[in-house]
Amino acid sequence: MHNPGTAGQERFPAADHFAEGAQFIAGRLTKGTSGRRHAVVDPATGDEVYTYDLAGTDDVDAAVAAAREAFPGWASATPGERSDALHRFAAVLAERAEDFARAESLQCGKPLKLSREFDVPGTVDNTAFFAGAARHLQGQSAGEYSGDHTSYVRREPIGVVGSIAPWNYPLQMAAWKVLPAIAAGNTIVLKPAELTPLTSLLFAQAATAAGLPDGVINIVTGTGKEAGEHLVGHPDVAMTSFTGSTGVGKRVAEVATATVKRLHLELGGKAPFVVFDDADLDAAVNGAVAGALINTGQDCTAATRAYVQRPLYEAFVERTAALMETVRLGDPFAPGTDLGPLISHAQRDRVAGFVERARAHARVVTGGEAPGGDLAEGAYYRPTLIAGAAQDSEIVQSEIFGPVLVVLPFDTDDEGIRLANDTPYGLAASAWSGSVYRANRATRDIKAGCVWINDHIPIISEMPHGGYKASGFGKDMSTYSFEEYTQVKHVMFDNTAVVRKDWHRTIFGDR
């Protein structure tokens, strides 16, 4: 029996959507068979809001079988048919937007304004984008490249995709995994994080309500060690797409490559925020605070390392600290809340550990503590600014995944670019300058999958998202994502009708 927990109707209006369990296989909800249960916890209060049976390996097998059975029919649907289904899907998501927003804020601790204005509309837009993109799976134009043959390129779906999504953006990451895969004609089994399965399950239910065939989208909610590894290693899964930490990504790669799967990895980040001395300081300060604190800093593209050219450094530190101190922590469902809790108390303690260790060699300018009072029961942590850290220190080099920004000075443009590139990661970055020449150099020389100029964080469905170096490889969103989710096939027709080709002499006979 599912346990609805303590969340009321106002906070969790979609609670009755999960009464049958937290696995979605072949178009219906079922209970997991692992024999173990797990609770979704509201990180703002510590209250359990939904308890469910975790998926075991049998559930993964059933989901993969459902996806495999659905694949031939879905793959053979015309691009227009898949497009129509995705347009209907976008409409259902829009109709249910408030349910999605509240479920996302409840399980993640996001301020409701973030879920309403970013996560949910972004997902609806992404669905509408792939509804259009489904009609444009194009290959190279036909042509006579050898002279005696006509060649063309087909794009074909790969098969069953097994994807694993993280807990920081459960709805958007579900969409980023599912949409390009099914637009290209694949079927999918998605494993959301066991901390945050609610909106992934709502997403799959909305797809069924929109008329997508059973088995095209399946959800298994279990642990990474059991359900995740079994999904990645499953012999009937043709491709794995994973978003999460670089450490776990390495394990996913080990398991996936054992069966020679297609692999797409979107891993950790440590985004630099480079402020040149001709930048608009007020714009940079506002951008740094927003870019560092979005989703309580639990964003792999969040601004985490601000490098500020020496003439602006002291003013940047002072103004950024002052602006951080105005950010309002509170109940995610309260209208005045700017910043919610971290995903869990364990994550809050992990972030606090980074800050405490940094105190030995750096200055905590503001923040650096959990609030008390009414927020003491939640996984809250104050916005934190750190100055004076060394470039090779842990706080600068490691992904913290919390509301912490480190500021370091630089002198020359060369030094600023060098420091920006001086971590293992390369997912995203930004540069701030009034000079088109400096900006262009930054976009060319900073090694990251996305470089913003005079802004930090915005994403759009039409443009790709993915990293360099230890941040992984492959792209989410945009038509570039079809490179991950399609096979490219060369087809070649003989145009001569000649029985004995000239090249046959290399095997038998003379010219």
Side-chain angles (χ1 to χ4, degrees):
M1 185 88 177
H2 115 281
N3 175 11
T6 57
Q9 178 69 20
E10 182 182 355
R11 292 175 81 88
F12 195 15
D16 59 348
H17 285 259
F18 308 100
E20 301 303 318
Q23 319 303 323
F24 190 84
I25 300 171
R28 67 185 187 92
L29 287 170
T30 64
K31 291 181 170 59
T33 61
S34 70
R36 290 176 290 111
R37 291 172 68 75
H38 187 81
V40 176
V41 174
D42 178 353
T45 63
D47 294 336
E48 294 184 3
V49 297
Y50 177 69
T51 305
Y52 63 93
D53 299 290
L54 287 162
T57 57
D58 288 347
D59 303 301
V60 174
D61 290 342
V64 172
R68 186 179 181 187
E69 182 177 353
F71 174 70
W74 184 248
S76 63
T78 67
E81 288 168 338
R82 290 200 293 268
S83 176
D84 288 346
L86 288 168
H87 277 300
R88 295 194 303 269
F89 190 11
V92 174
L93 293 173
E95 290 169 2
R96 301 180 178 184
E98 188 64 12
D99 283 353
F100 276 99
R102 289 183 175 273
E104 194 79 333
S105 287
L106 182 69
Q107 66 182 354
C108 299
K110 298 173 187 279
L112 190 56
K113 66 180 179 181
L114 179 63
S115 295
R116 280 176 173 164
E117 297 175 25
F118 184 73
D119 298 74
V120 175
T123 301
V124 174
D125 181 74
N126 211 229
T127 308
F129 170 81
F130 278 105
R135 292 180 178 265
H136 298 284
L137 282 166
Q138 297 173 341
Q140 189 172 357
S141 298
E144 286 66 51
Y145 298 98
S146 78
D148 291 337
H149 305 82
T150 296
S151 290
Y152 66 87
V153 170
R154 291 175 57 89
R155 281 194 179 274
E156 298 180 348
I158 295 170
V160 177
V161 177
S163 291
I164 299 176
W167 48 255
N168 58 330
Y169 289 102
L171 176 59
Q172 287 199 314
M173 294 296 101
W176 287 14
K177 299 300 181 196
V178 169
L179 294 171
I182 66 172
N186 302 284
T187 55
I188 190 166
V189 179
L190 174 75
K191 192 200 88 65
E194 59 268 33
L195 294 173
T196 55
L198 301 179
T199 45
S200 296
L201 292 164
L202 287 176
F203 190 72
Q205 292 176 71
T208 295
L212 272 74
D214 293 347
V216 171
I217 300 173
N218 306 274
I219 310 290
V220 289
T221 308
T223 65
K225 191 66 177 174
E226 184 173 3
E229 291 208 8
H230 192 63
L231 177 62
V232 171
H234 200 290
D236 291 334
V237 170
M239 174 187 166
T240 291
S241 178
F242 169 79
T243 296
S245 71
T246 298
V248 177
K250 291 178 181 178
R251 176 59 184 163
V252 169
E254 289 176 6
V255 176
T257 54
T259 50
V260 199
K261 289 177 171 40
R262 177 78 66 89
L263 185 61
H264 166 222
L265 298 175
E266 197 267 89
L267 306 177
K270 190 71 177 173
F273 186 101
V274 182
V275 183
F276 294 102
D277 58 14
D278 62 347
D280 181 321
L281 182 59
D282 287 338
V285 167
N286 279 272
V289 173
L293 300 185
I294 187 170
N295 204 34
T296 318
Q298 298 167 125
D299 187 311
C300 49
T301 65
T304 58
R305 299 178 289 139
Y307 296 103
V308 184
Q309 206 152 22
R310 192 81 60 178
L312 297 183
Y313 176 75
E314 293 296 341
F316 180 91
V317 171
E318 180 182 348
R319 294 189 196 183
T320 299
L323 186 57
M324 276 188 171
E325 289 166 3
T326 70
V327 173
R328 300 165 296 181
L329 278 69
D331 179 359
F333 290 83
T337 293
D338 297 322
L339 201 70
L342 291 149
I343 187 65
S344 66
H345 288 80
Q347 180 64 14
R348 181 199 63 190
D349 294 345
R350 178 180 180 276
V351 171
F354 274 100
V355 175
E356 290 310 306
R357 292 189 295 274
R359 290 183 191 275
H361 58 82
R363 176 169 62 101
V364 177
V365 182
T366 190
E369 62 182 4
D374 294 342
L375 303 181
E377 298 301 315
Y380 291 90
Y381 198 77
R382 293 195 186 282
T384 300
L385 184 67
I386 293 175
Q391 174 66 18
D392 62 355
S393 62
E394 176 193 53
I395 201 82
V396 174
Q397 292 291 323
S398 298
E399 187 172 35
I400 300 169
F401 234 53
V404 179
L405 176 64
V406 184
V407 188
L408 297 89
F410 69 92
D411 292 304
T412 67
D413 289 16
D414 286 349
E415 183 188 15
I417 298 293
R418 179 181 62 78
L419 292 171
N421 287 329
D422 184 29
T423 72
Y425 300 104
L427 186 58
S430 66
W432 299 71
S433 173
S435 165
V436 67
Y437 302 105
R438 273 177 156 171
N440 270 330
R441 184 198 173 181
T443 64
R444 183 179 66 249
D445 290 351
I446 293 177
K447 305 306 179 187
C450 174
V451 180
W452 293 285
I453 298 299
N454 295 326
D455 206 346
H456 195 105
I457 283 295
I459 55 174
I460 50 175
S461 297
E462 292 82 359
M463 289 291 112
H465 176 86
Y468 287 23
K469 303 190 293 185
S471 293
F473 47 82
K475 299 299 179 185
D476 289 311
M477 299 198 299
S478 82
T479 56
Y480 289 96
S481 65
F482 287 141
E483 302 295 330
E484 319 304 325
Y485 293 99
T486 56
Q487 300 276 17
V488 173
K489 177 186 287 184
H490 171 214
V491 178
M492 196 171 197
F493 280 89
D494 171 58
N495 292 330
T496 67
V498 173
V499 173
R500 186 161 177 164
K501 309 292 195 276
D502 186 54
W503 71 266
H504 290 178
R505 75 183 189 281
T506 63
I507 307 301
F508 52 84
D510 300 321
R511 182 178 291 274

